Amino acid sequence: MLEIRDVHKTFNAGTINEKKALTGVNLTLNDGDFVTVIGGNGAGKSTLLNMITGVYPVDKGSIILDGTDITKLPEHKRAKFLGRVFQDPMTGTSGGMQIDENLAIAARRGKFRSLLPGVTKKEREEFKTLLKKLDLGLENRLSSKVGLLSGGQRQAVTLLMASMQNPKLLLLDEHTAALDPQTAAKVLALTEEIVSESKITTLMITHNMKDAIRLGNRLIMMNNGQIIYDISGEEKKNLKVSDLMELFAKASSGEFANDRMLLS
Amino acid sequence: MINFLSSLPTPVAQGMIWGVMAIGVFVTFKVLELSDLTVDGSFATGGAVFVVLTTGGMNIYLSMLISFVAGCVAGFVTGIFHTKFGIPAILSGILTQLALYSVNLRIMGGKANTAISWRNFDLLVSSRTDVIYETILVCVIFIAVLIAVLYWFFGTELGHSIRSTGCNAAMSRANGINTNTCKVLGLVLSNGIVALAGALLSQFQGFADVNMGRGAIVIGLAAVIIGEVAFGKIFRNFALKLVSVVLGAIIYYIVITIVLKLGLRTDDLKLFSALVVGLFLGIPYWKSKVHFNKKEKKEVKADA
């Protein structure tokens, strides 16, 4: 369903700060895949996601989603097919707007925005039921500014927004990394619930190896702008953190995994 | 004192007209979080278009509508500079503003100043003291309608996407909003309102002048900030925020009247305005610093 063909991306090409972020990435996702992505800092994980979402243009290669070439489509047009949750909880929602207004904006993703009401009464009722599932008491605070919510609450709302409108692909960029462990676990549980319920094809970047092994049906490891391992099925189920560490050490030729990975 | 009170209606009316302008500034400065300097030019454009069309025989309401459209076009040009040419918003506005100086002169047939008299035309507002209360009434109605329309508009799907663009552009794009289009739309709307205010002021003072918009952005910002500082705690609803902008403009003009009465020379007025606005813009920044320090000291004490 998603096909990434030989994608290259270099930042600040030709300058002293030149950074080859992606050097020929090939990846094919199947319908319903839940893929976890790991790799050290600067391995190209986030760049890969940003290429799919169209934050920056690709230098070379193509990205094909469900048979349509989206390589040259601007970011806001691709949004129709994609649900996104960012690492920074502030990024996924408009802090100055109300909870219901944020949800309503997501509910209109990929649709023409006219002069009809921004939120209808009927929608507010639907949002209440949706928010109730989060069990955070937000269903009674529809008119609160999102800026008043905690990081975890904002991330939960973003997750709801990302899964609205049945996206073809859900992209999670270390979406629990900025949360405290307890909240992170809650948001992660919610992620599992949403993904298994709606069977959205999902790509999740994480720094937590245990999560990377426990969640999903497939795991890919990136290093130096390339995918170096792609493990799925039974093989993935039997993986241990120590196996991943070993693979990682081998790949980075002696350089050891960074501290964040060791600690988690 | 009585002398002062009897002179109040004029600055109130003046403040309301500039309050309309300030609502336009609010749309860019607060909703879109852009600083748009086009307004100095589009304000005069509104006045020039209105006076030329009305003296040429057009119905005043139609003239005002066309003034509004002319302002929209000015905002559109700034929007294109900003989104298609990648020029920072503030510089895009300066470019359009400069260009408008020439355009405004052309509109007025090369003259820097064109008069319009209430004797020959049935104008909506006027600074004449015998009709000042009618003028205030007209302004109140005008502002009420404007605020109602904006309140409705920013509650629509399109209005939501403009607000969201100003609030969080990354989130907006992730949710399929074309943030560039929204920025252009916001600039168009804002400058349309500003030009409408220019059309009102030209009626009020009885002429349009190529320099009538000089420093308009400063007055607009003054109104927005005074309104926020004075009423921010009580007026949280969007419509009430717009009301506070207009009240801010009225306060600004009352203060100006007072300082002029106290002996400030009119020549020094712009210097005074700039300093006052600078001061008010600084207040939130200083406040945040002071609060931080206090908190820190308390925490240090608690530790000890």
Side-chain angles (χ1 to χ4, degrees):
Chain A
M1 65 115 23
L2 178 76
E3 235 189 295
I4 297 171
R5 286 190 202 146
D6 195 31
V7 165
H8 290 253
K9 181 72 191 174
T10 307
F11 291 106
N12 308 313
T15 71
I16 196 159
N17 293 320
E18 182 172 284
K19 165 83 186 142
K20 287 198 166 80
L22 296 179
T23 54
V25 171
N26 286 291
L27 177 70
T28 304
L29 295 189
N30 304 316
D31 257 330
D33 263 356
F34 183 173
V35 183
T36 55
V37 186
I38 55 169
N41 290 333
K45 310 178 300 287
S46 290
T47 310
L48 180 65
L49 235 59
N50 286 335
M51 297 287 105
I52 300 172
T53 55
V55 176
Y56 324 106
V58 303
D59 291 346
K60 200 187 147 202
S62 54
I63 299 164
I64 291 141
L65 185 67
D66 255 356
T68 340
D69 191 339
I70 60 164
T71 320
K72 296 220 164 81
L73 220 56
E75 189 182 357
H76 67 271
K77 285 197 179 151
R78 293 186 205 192
K80 188 177 181 176
F81 316 111
L82 309 170
R84 284 156 75 181
V85 186
F86 308 83
Q87 178 169 0
D88 181 356
M90 307 297 144
T91 313
T93 39
S94 267
M97 297 177 77
Q98 296 170 190
I99 295 178
D100 55 348
E101 291 171 338
N102 270 278
L103 291 165
I105 283 172
R108 285 163 181 72
R109 195 167 53 225
K111 286 186 183 163
F112 178 73
R113 287 166 214 259
S114 68
L115 291 176
L116 291 171
V119 198
T120 62
K121 263 196 185 139
K122 193 174 145 244
E123 276 180 314
R124 283 174 65 93
E125 288 309 312
E126 289 166 11
F127 295 160
K128 265 187 193 167
T129 357
L130 269 177
L131 287 166
K132 220 172 218 160
K133 277 201 272 178
L134 298 182
D135 202 20
L136 294 168
L138 296 180
E139 62 273 16
N140 303 317
R141 296 175 63 188
L142 277 182
S143 301
S144 295
K145 293 263 159 71
V146 170
L148 299 171
L149 306 185
S150 69
Q153 288 173 326
R154 281 183 82 157
Q155 216 58 333
V157 172
T158 310
L159 206 52
L160 268 192
M161 287 165 59
S163 59
M164 275 176 160
Q165 286 284 90
N166 288 325
K168 291 187 174 168
L169 198 58
L170 182 63
L171 301 163
L172 311 168
D173 188 357
E174 292 193 50
H175 66 306
T176 58
L179 308 175
D180 65 81
Q182 216 179 346
T183 318
K186 216 171 174 182
V187 170
L188 211 57
L190 180 68
T191 310
E192 277 186 85
E193 202 181 300
I194 287 176
V195 173
S196 66
E197 230 171 65
S198 53
K199 305 210 165 36
I200 314 174
T201 313
T202 303
L203 204 58
M204 176 176 110
I205 298 179
T206 175
H207 256 109
N208 188 318
M209 295 215 193
K210 273 184 223 150
D211 290 342
I213 294 170
R214 188 172 61 84
L215 295 171
N217 64 328
R218 191 171 160 193
L219 180 151
I220 61 178
M221 187 188 274
M222 291 188 72
N223 191 42
N224 274 334
Q226 278 180 329
I227 293 171
I228 50 169
Y229 292 109
D230 187 340
I231 307 157
S232 54
E234 279 304 304
E235 198 185 347
K236 176 178 181 290
K237 275 187 199 145
N238 300 326
L239 267 180
K240 289 189 191 69
V241 173
S242 56
D243 301 335
L244 282 180
M245 296 301 292
E246 212 172 286
L247 285 173
F248 198 85
K250 232 197 288 175
S252 47
S253 57
E255 285 172 51
F256 218 60
N258 66 58
D259 299 345
R260 267 175 85 191
M261 296 183 77
L262 281 174
L263 288 171
S264 52
Chain B
M1 190 66 199
I2 289 176
N3 190 11
F4 168 69
L5 281 179
S6 66
S7 68
L8 261 187
T10 306
V12 168
Q14 217 173 353
M16 292 177 100
I17 293 172
W18 284 93
V20 172
M21 211 267 337
I23 287 176
V25 171
F26 183 92
V27 170
T28 44
F29 188 67
K30 280 287 163 187
V31 178
L32 271 182
E33 300 203 8
L34 287 179
S35 302
D36 175 33
L37 298 191
T38 317
V39 293
D40 281 26
S42 54
F43 189 67
T45 305
V49 168
F50 176 79
V51 171
V52 167
L53 289 179
T54 309
T55 52
M58 192 179 270
N59 170 288
I60 63 160
Y61 294 101
L62 200 55
S63 299
M64 286 182 74
L65 183 71
I66 295 176
S67 292
F68 173 80
V69 173
C72 292
V73 173
F76 182 76
V77 171
T78 302
I80 295 300
F81 274 142
H82 178 45
T83 58
K84 294 288 172 197
F85 289 44
I87 303 169
I90 196 154
L91 194 51
S92 306
I94 291 173
L95 289 178
T96 314
Q97 182 204 113
L98 183 70
L100 282 175
Y101 188 84
S102 302
V103 173
N104 294 341
L105 279 175
R106 283 240 176 209
I107 292 172
M108 294 194 286
K111 287 185 288 175
N113 192 300
T114 311
I116 184 164
S117 170
W118 56 273
R119 286 190 180 83
N120 308 328
F121 302 98
D122 191 14
L123 301 179
L124 273 181
V125 290
S126 169
S127 60
R128 281 175 302 137
T129 42
D130 55 325
V131 292
I132 199 73
Y133 289 104
E134 281 92 326
T135 291
I136 290 177
L137 182 68
V138 169
C139 288
V140 168
I141 296 169
F142 192 89
I143 289 168
V145 172
L146 179 66
I147 290 178
V149 170
L150 288 178
Y151 184 74
W152 162 77
F153 176 71
F154 283 109
T156 64
E157 296 176 337
L158 192 62
H160 272 187
S161 48
I162 294 178
R163 282 168 61 203
S164 178
T165 296
C167 199
N168 186 343
M171 170 272 191
S172 305
R173 281 191 295 272
N175 284 292
I177 293 169
N178 187 340
T179 48
N180 280 342
T181 306
C182 285
K183 280 181 189 169
V184 175
L185 273 177
L187 286 165
V188 164
L189 179 64
S190 161
N191 282 288
I193 296 168
V194 169
L196 212 45
L200 281 176
L201 189 72
S202 65
Q203 298 176 57
F204 185 77
Q205 62 188 17
F207 63 90
D209 187 290
V210 73
N211 284 318
M212 70 192 267
R214 176 159 292 173
I217 182 70
V218 175
I219 298 172
L221 288 180
V224 170
I225 294 158
I226 293 171
E228 194 172 74
V229 170
F231 308 103
K233 288 235 163 73
I234 23 175
F235 288 177
R236 290 178 180 282
N237 172 284
F238 185 75
L240 291 177
K241 275 186 187 165
L242 295 180
V243 172
S244 72
V245 169
V246 177
L247 293 176
I250 294 172
I251 292 173
Y252 177 84
Y253 270 95
I254 290 176
V255 170
I256 294 287
T257 311
I258 293 173
V259 292
L260 285 179
K261 280 222 186 295
L262 291 178
L264 185 85
R265 286 171 50 187
T266 30
D267 292 352
D268 295 335
L269 210 52
K270 292 225 188 313
L271 173 66
F272 174 79
S273 309
L275 290 178
V276 168
V277 172
L279 201 70
F280 271 100
L281 279 171
I283 287 175
Y285 174 71
W286 296 322
K287 253 189 180 168
S288 68
K289 284 207 133 178
V290 169
H291 275 293
F292 185 70
N293 287 340
K294 266 187 195 159
K295 222 174 162 186
E296 212 167 43
K297 271 182 200 152
K298 259 186 202 162
E299 272 168 16
V300 171
K301 262 186 198 161
D303 283 348

